[in-house]
Amino acid sequence: MIYVYCTELRRSALRWWLPVLVAIDLAVLYGRARWWIGIWPQTSVAAQIPAFYFGPFFAALAAWSVGRASRHGTDEQLDAAARPRWQAESLQLAGTVTYGLAVYLVGIVAAAITSTGSAGPGFLWPGYLCLGAATIVGCAAAGHAVGRWSRSRVIAPMFSALVCFVLLGSLGDSLGLIVLTGPPDARVAAWPLVTRLLLAAGAAVVAVAVPRPRFRPRGGRRPRYGRGQAYASAAALAVVVGCLAAYATAGSIQVSRPSPARYPCTNTTPASCVWPDDQKYLPQMSAMMSRLNEIPAGLFTVPPRYYERGLRAPRYQYVDFTVPEGAMWEVATGIAIQIVNATFPNPCAAATDADTAKQIHAQYELGTWLESRLTGAPQPPSVHGGPPGVDIQAIGKLIYTQQGSQLTWVRQRLATLRNTPCA
Amino acid sequence: MREHLRVAVRYGRTHHAASYLAGLAVLVLADFLLGSRALVLPLSDATIAFRAEIPAAYAVLAAATLHSPMADFEQCASRRYQHTRAAHIAVVLALTAATELVAEAAAASWPAGIVALRSVLVWAGIALVSGRLLGMTLSWVLPLASILPLTYFQQNSDGTDRWWDWVKQPPGDLACWLIATVSLALGVLLSQLDQWTPRPWVPRRLRRVGQTRNGG
């Protein structure tokens, strides 16, 4: 068996295309974003993302590969061979999957190496990586099955790639087949992950065990399955249905992670605290806090500490900041909202609609000004939109003017908020 | 006339005409059912609907009809057969593109239909190139690979679409029509080079995915 498996690997053209596939994997890993470097959960998710593209591709490849028996007219020979058919099929599927996982593994190793230098405590999270591996295996198995049951050489690869692409592309996130980001306050749930691995294994079992349904041939003979084969097919299908049921009832793949006992904070006042995984952001946070201190005291009520989401009790979930894709602007948004809310802890409902509009507009303007001051720069172009009705360009210019004129501008807004007539 | 029709039907039967029409029907159905579903893409806040990528399947389907069980035999055919083959490409491409245009126009809008038509032309060229390089049954490889840049690298850093993003640029975009022209011209040219290069260009050992020495 091992010898035949080695022959499968040695004789596959994928051996020659491996550098191309690795280049694609690395392009997906590094080509678009590098903010994940230095954060282990995000690095693990980034290493898993190529599986989103390799899934459909290896589905098509497996469907093409399995067609070799009919292309070369050896279908009957294989059926009549001394070894049972499932052994040959499983070796072939194993060969395809091996190449898929090998490419995936190279990406994981590269991601781990680039993250090691700047990362916080811990290492790669195996949960996310297993999820990607399950995606590749499951897609390849589905492609193998479709290619085996179809007679077409072109439709089968195309169809299996299309189905995998639709499944992963439109439902992958909601079905939990792939994960798009790995925030530090989430972890992979064990049992849902196991069900996904089981589902991939079940798909592989069906792909090797269930032959193409044969209908009554011209001669009028009855289709002759061996009884063992019929049992094996039924058992494989039952296994897959069982796996599907387990998967459907298992629940969400990402669940909230218990907050750590110790977490790093900036040694500034006010301070900002992040998850240990996110400790590479501490210098940026310190800079942000010192920029916050440049704003003269007395204007705003500034909370003494800011937390990343998940460090405090769940009721602060919508108060605390997050760092999506390493964007400091989003952190500043979270902090600015906290400052404005602390300055006006219990705003009353305004008397008229016009007053409400003025109140909200002043809040938005103050928030945008605070965000720009905290990041020390205008709103970056990568952030689309912003609070409605706020002239972001003007505020972007305002933060570079004299402190005095800025404070006059701020005091006007604060006065608007204080003097809003209550209902 | 009748004789010609009979020949055409026979030609169609060896070139998967029935499968092609069935495939077209399935894809039109997919256009209507899945077209407006948004793709959930990693690391992206851009929304790409499935209707942007479905033309790739149309193009592959069209290119796949160039395969026939008698492919080896056809490769040493006379010049007359080369003309037939050119007519075949023209008819199938026109039929496929027209179907996609009408399907998209009915499912979404006329501008969307024109973008889809352009996408079919681009991908048809890519599929023909892929078929020339790897063999007609592998004409799906390059179109499938081209989905990656179109869904993952399609945005400039400021969130606008790249100039070459032929599925997102507006129907009148000149650069994308240029891409379509170049791609289609290259594809048709390469697929018409049969007389001198009867074999796929990529050597056999690079195309053999899971074939053992004994062909099993």
Side-chain angles (χ1 to χ4, degrees), chain A residues 11-13 16-17 24 27-28 32 49 53 60 64-65 68 71-72 154 157-158 165-166 169-171 180 384, chain B residues 37 39-40 42-45 50 60-61 64 137-138 140 147-148 151-153 158 205-206 208-211 215-216:
Chain A
R11 297 285 297 167
S12 172
W16 303 100
W17 291 106
I24 291 174
V28 172
R32 181 105 158 242
I49 278 175
Y53 287 102
W64 161 258
S65 174
R68 72 180 180 196
R71 281 201 299 278
H72 295 274
V154 180
M158 204 178 76
F165 192 64
V166 168
S170 80
L171 303 169
L180 300 181
H384 311 306
Chain B
R37 277 202 87 98
L39 275 166
V40 180
L43 315 177
S44 172
D45 50 2
F50 270 108
V60 170
L61 197 65
T137 44
L138 286 172
W140 49 270
I147 301 272
L148 168 66
T151 55
Y152 198 71
F153 298 111
D158 60 351
R205 69 195 162 119
L206 297 188
R208 186 176 42 203
V209 177
Q211 288 170 25

Side-chain angles (χ1 to χ4, degrees), chain B:
Chain B
M1 185 61 208
R2 210 155 150 201
E3 188 56 29
H4 279 96
L5 200 65
R6 206 170 286 156
V7 170
V9 167
R10 222 177 302 153
Y11 183 87
R13 277 174 66 182
T14 57
H15 288 84
H16 314 287
S19 307
Y20 167 73
L21 292 176
L24 267 192
V26 169
L27 287 179
V28 168
L29 201 66
D31 250 334
F32 275 91
L33 293 182
L34 302 171
S36 51
R37 277 202 87 98
L39 275 166
V40 180
L41 295 166
L43 315 177
S44 172
D45 50 2
T47 50
I48 301 177
F50 270 108
R51 67 165 33 92
E53 314 299 333
I54 289 178
Y58 277 90
V60 170
L61 197 65
T65 59
L66 284 174
H67 170 265
S68 91
M70 297 194 291
D72 287 344
F73 183 65
E74 285 169 5
Q75 269 158 0
C76 52
S78 66
R79 177 155 301 208
R80 179 141 184 213
Y81 181 76
Q82 302 296 335
H83 289 313
T84 313
R85 197 177 151 85
H88 172 168
I89 294 178
V91 167
V92 166
L93 280 187
L95 184 59
T96 311
T99 311
E100 170 66 326
L101 173 70
V102 173
E104 271 305 302
S109 63
W110 279 105
I114 292 170
V115 170
L117 168 78
R118 183 178 68 196
S119 303
V120 168
L121 298 183
V122 175
W123 266 311
I126 295 176
L128 287 174
V129 170
S130 181
R132 176 69 272 175
L133 292 177
L134 304 165
M136 262 311 157
T137 44
L138 286 172
S139 58
W140 49 270
V141 173
L142 289 187
L144 187 60
S146 72
I147 301 272
L148 168 66
L150 284 172
T151 55
Y152 198 71
F153 298 111
Q154 90 286 10
Q155 279 194 328
N156 296 310
S157 54
D158 60 351
T160 51
D161 300 316
R162 288 196 200 272
W163 64 268
W164 47 259
D165 185 3
W166 63 79
V167 302
K168 291 279 269 188
Q169 290 290 354
D173 188 76
L174 193 66
C176 289
W177 281 106
L178 206 65
I179 293 173
T181 316
V182 170
S183 163
L184 200 60
L186 195 68
V188 171
L189 197 72
L190 288 185
S191 66
Q192 285 307 100
L193 283 180
D194 263 5
Q195 290 153 321
W196 299 284
T197 55
R199 288 276 161 198
W201 289 358
V202 171
R204 191 173 164 75
R205 69 195 162 119
L206 297 188
R207 291 183 282 120
R208 186 176 42 203
V209 177
Q211 288 170 25
T212 50
R213 192 180 295 271
N214 298 326

Side-chain angles (χ1 to χ4, degrees), chain A residues 89-402:
Chain A
E89 296 288 342
S90 55
L91 283 174
Q92 188 180 6
L93 180 60
T96 313
V97 165
T98 303
Y99 277 105
L101 293 182
V103 176
Y104 181 57
L105 198 64
V106 172
I108 291 173
V109 171
I113 290 171
T114 42
S115 260
T116 308
S118 52
F123 194 58
L124 288 173
W125 290 21
Y128 290 131
L129 303 176
C130 288
L131 191 65
T135 303
I136 292 180
V137 173
C139 285
H144 189 96
V146 170
R148 210 175 153 193
W149 300 329
S150 155
R151 281 175 188 283
S152 168
R153 298 171 191 187
V154 180
I155 306 281
M158 204 178 76
F159 180 75
S160 40
L162 201 67
V163 167
C164 286
F165 192 64
V166 168
L167 260 183
L168 290 178
S170 80
L171 303 169
D173 194 27
S174 47
L175 292 183
L177 299 173
I178 49 166
V179 170
L180 300 181
T181 59
D185 59 329
R187 66 180 178 85
V188 182
W191 172 240
L193 176 67
V194 169
T195 60
R196 278 146 182 89
L197 291 170
L198 284 177
L199 196 60
V205 168
V206 166
V208 299
V210 182
R212 174 195 297 163
R214 252 175 276 175
F215 303 105
R216 188 180 290 253
R218 278 236 182 97
R221 286 184 299 129
R222 292 172 58 79
R224 287 165 64 104
Y225 287 112
R227 186 168 284 178
Q229 203 173 41
Y231 287 151
S233 301
L237 287 174
V239 163
V240 133
V241 169
C243 292
L244 263 178
Y247 156 77
T249 54
S252 172
I253 181 89
Q254 272 179 320
V255 292
S256 63
R257 184 181 172 201
S259 65
R262 298 169 56 81
Y263 44 84
C265 296
T266 56
N267 46 13
T268 52
T269 338
S272 169
C273 301
V274 293
W275 281 80
D277 310 84
D278 274 346
Q279 72 176 27
K280 78 158 187 173
Y281 294 130
L282 280 177
Q284 285 164 286
M285 295 282 178
S286 293
M288 189 178 280
M289 290 301 115
S290 59
R291 280 192 291 264
L292 178 57
N293 278 332
E294 286 166 13
I295 298 174
L299 283 177
F300 295 98
T301 312
V302 179
R305 258 170 193 262
Y306 304 97
Y307 296 88
E308 192 175 4
R309 179 184 294 170
L311 290 179
R312 289 199 283 176
R315 70 171 182 279
Y316 294 110
Q317 192 184 358
Y318 299 108
V319 175
D320 293 343
F321 64 83
T322 58
V323 200
E325 308 194 3
M328 282 299 139
W329 182 264
E330 302 294 332
V331 176
T333 305
I335 291 177
I337 291 173
Q338 286 184 53
I339 292 175
V340 171
N341 285 344
T343 310
F344 299 97
N346 297 307
C348 62
T352 62
D353 283 355
D355 288 332
T356 310
K358 263 168 74 182
Q359 186 186 23
I360 289 174
H361 187 70
Q363 276 180 357
Y364 283 165
E365 282 192 321
L366 281 177
T368 309
W369 180 78
L370 276 171
E371 287 154 18
S372 305
R373 283 295 298 254
L374 283 172
T375 51
Q379 176 172 322
S382 58
V383 177
H384 311 306
V390 175
D391 188 349
I392 288 164
Q393 304 267 320
I395 293 175
K397 288 200 189 92
L398 180 71
I399 60 161
Y400 294 115
T401 58
Q402 292 284 321

Side-chain angles (χ1 to χ4, degrees), chain A residues 340 344 359 362-363 366 412-420:
Chain A
V340 171
F344 299 97
Q359 186 186 23
Q363 276 180 357
L366 281 177
Q412 282 171 4
R413 270 71 192 167
L414 289 172
T416 310
L417 284 178
R418 271 196 205 102
N419 302 333
T420 305

